[in-house]
Amino acid sequence: ALTYHYETQCIPTPAAWLAHQLPVWFQKLSVVATYVIEVAVPVLFFAPLRRLRLFAFYCQVLLQVLIILTGNYNFFNALTIVLAFSLLDEEHVGRWLGRPKKRQGSAPQPPPAWPPSLGSVLAVLLELSTYGLLLYWTMHYFGLEINWDKKLLDSKVAFTYHEFTTWLRTVTLPLVGVAFLSLAWEILVAMYRCACVRGCFWKLWATLQWAIMATATVSLFAVSLVPFTYIDHESNGKLWPGIHQMFGAVERFQVVNSYGLFRRMTGVGGRPEVVLEGSYDGHSWTEIEFMYKPGNVSAAPAVVAPHQPRLDWQLWFAALGHHHSSPWFTALVLRLLQGQRDVIRLVQVDESRYPFSARPPTFLRAQLYKYWFTGPSEGSPGPAPWWRRQHVQEFF
């Protein structure tokens, strides 16, 4: 998948061109790492050991930062990183900020006890077992093996689609149970802290806050189960009907949703791209270059996140089908023929880069091309091209 992804995503970055040049074995290994970080590691969010939760945090941040570097997905990845910060505690953040660890009283800390306690030994064993299981499952289900002759790491999907869906059906509802137990524990701990508050008034005030927050949290958790179980239709049907009714009542407010990007790989035979052309006489045509989407093969890909240029995004979708599937495209052409400034600014803010800023074009047409990233050895006179393209047909 990653041999196509970097050049076919909505709006690539310059780093996407570099990532596209990586060898195939590394691209395949990157897919394996993505599966592990997105499917297996999130279970460690609920781990009883602090270091396992920190491990899960850094895995998530690493993946999201790499996606930010190689693609413009507006605020999606920043939002995921912000959510992951809930895995950190005050002590760990304090280390980032260079704050010393808090000590009880002024007495110096005693040296670590030897031999270590049974609890600390069990904690280390549990942590090592977790890493070992992750490694074993990864090697087993993705056929990881070192090819000594070629000096690379081979990988492949070593499970069937049926096995995957069966596994998904098996783990979805137990994961809901794990999440519920984790939430229940946090609520009980918070209630205990309310009971420890001194003074009747402050105890009552803390309890009132606890009741409001606990009710809101449980309600939010309940309605989030509906979009979460979309990943398995059978598990979704087993949810209590009242939860579906609660979700239906608040769905229009988008309080919770199964937000995500694209599940299906596109552009396997080349990235489809719509290129607008304008003319005054119907014979001599000039391309209209957009600010963010690929067009000019010598123009570097843009870095625009967390902004989302909606027109450039929608043109990516338009290129995947017939123009009748994107009725707004006709309106775009009409407004450009009329020379509407608001619409022109969606294409180019800098008027000097819009070839028809002085006078609107008499004719407009759109051509469909297939785009591919160039290789490091490909060169041509003039500026080095980032893309190569091939004309397919007239789009509009």
Side-chain angles (χ1 to χ4, degrees):
L2 284 185
T3 57
Y4 301 103
H5 161 74
Y6 295 115
E7 68 181 2
T8 61
Q9 59 187 315
C10 277
I11 304 177
T13 65
W17 184 92
L18 295 171
H20 184 73
Q21 314 304 324
L22 294 170
V24 173
W25 70 267
F26 188 85
Q27 305 284 26
K28 293 170 71 173
L29 190 63
S30 299
V31 174
V32 174
T34 302
Y35 275 131
V36 173
I37 293 174
E38 290 195 339
V39 178
V41 171
V43 179
L44 301 181
F45 293 172
F46 307 103
L49 297 182
R50 173 175 176 268
R51 281 189 298 204
L52 288 177
R53 296 194 298 271
L54 293 177
F55 170 75
F57 167 79
Y58 283 109
C59 284
Q60 292 298 321
V61 170
L62 172 65
L63 176 64
Q64 300 306 321
V65 168
L66 290 174
I67 296 174
I68 289 171
L69 292 174
T70 57
N72 291 287
Y73 291 104
N74 53 79
F75 58 84
F76 273 104
N77 310 108
L79 176 60
T80 306
I81 291 174
V82 169
L83 290 171
F85 267 86
S86 62
L87 297 168
L88 301 181
D89 54 30
E90 185 179 0
E91 179 186 338
H92 194 75
V93 175
R95 289 183 183 178
W96 287 355
L97 302 176
R99 294 174 182 170
K101 185 178 179 180
K102 291 184 178 179
R103 295 180 177 179
Q104 299 293 331
S106 56
Q109 290 289 318
W114 186 262
S117 64
L118 178 62
S120 61
V121 171
L122 290 176
V124 171
L125 288 176
L126 178 60
E127 185 179 359
L128 292 176
S129 300
T130 302
Y131 297 141
L133 282 173
L134 268 178
L135 182 60
Y136 169 75
W137 285 335
T138 304
M139 294 176 66
H140 177 70
Y141 288 110
F142 293 99
L144 291 185
E145 56 182 25
I146 298 175
N147 188 326
W148 296 105
D149 295 333
K150 298 180 179 179
K151 295 181 180 179
L152 50 83
L153 191 60
D154 283 331
S155 59
K156 63 180 182 296
V157 177
F159 53 87
T160 65
Y161 179 77
H162 175 71
E163 288 172 335
F164 175 73
T165 53
T166 302
W167 172 83
L168 203 60
R169 191 174 301 115
T170 304
V171 302
T172 300
L173 288 180
L175 281 176
V176 170
V178 170
F180 174 76
L181 290 175
S182 176
L183 177 60
W185 172 256
E186 293 295 334
I187 290 174
L188 290 173
V189 169
M191 184 174 66
Y192 172 75
R193 288 173 179 165
C194 291
C196 295
V197 174
R198 294 181 179 179
C200 289
F201 173 78
W202 295 113
K203 192 185 297 289
L204 183 64
W205 175 240
T207 304
L208 178 63
Q209 292 182 74
W210 169 84
I212 294 172
M213 292 302 295
T215 302
T217 305
V218 170
S219 302
L220 191 63
F221 173 79
V223 295
S224 74
L225 295 181
V226 176
F228 172 72
T229 52
Y230 284 162
I231 59 176
D232 177 50
H233 180 74
E234 188 175 304
S235 300
N236 185 267
K238 289 181 179 178
L239 292 177
W240 180 50
I243 292 178
H244 284 281
Q245 293 172 2
M246 289 173 60
F247 177 76
V250 300
E251 185 177 9
R252 64 183 183 276
F253 300 117
Q254 290 289 297
V255 177
V256 295
N257 58 77
S258 57
Y259 70 86
L261 296 175
F262 317 113
R263 307 160 187 234
R264 200 169 293 276
M265 185 59 59
T266 60
V268 173
R271 172 198 183 94
E273 200 67 61
V274 173
V275 175
L276 270 173
E277 299 175 343
S279 173
Y280 290 118
D281 57 11
H283 299 288
S284 176
W285 296 89
T286 304
E287 289 189 13
I288 295 174
E289 190 175 343
F290 285 71
M291 287 183 286
Y292 308 114
K293 82 175 197 70
N296 181 353
V297 295
S298 298
V303 176
V304 63
H307 172 58
Q308 183 187 23
R310 284 193 63 85
L311 179 56
D312 297 70
W313 269 64
Q314 290 302 321
L315 281 164
W316 183 86
F317 287 103
L320 297 176
H322 195 273
H323 73 80
H324 291 309
S325 304
S326 305
W328 57 268
F329 190 83
T330 306
L332 168 67
V333 170
L334 175 62
R335 299 310 179 199
L336 291 178
L337 286 171
Q338 294 173 341
Q340 273 207 8
R341 291 294 167 188
D342 290 343
V343 178
I344 292 173
R345 278 197 294 271
L346 295 175
V347 178
Q348 280 290 352
V349 175
D350 184 358
E351 288 192 1
S352 64
R353 299 188 62 185
Y354 184 70
F356 303 101
S357 56
R359 181 164 62 94
T362 310
F363 304 96
L364 270 177
R365 71 182 185 187
Q367 303 288 355
L368 184 67
Y369 285 85
K370 291 289 184 72
Y371 276 66
W372 297 268
F373 271 143
T374 56
S377 59
E378 293 181 46
S380 64
W386 291 81
W387 301 94
R388 58 185 177 85
R389 72 182 187 182
Q390 178 182 333
H391 182 260
V392 178
Q393 62 187 29
E394 191 171 72
F395 179 78
F396 186 88

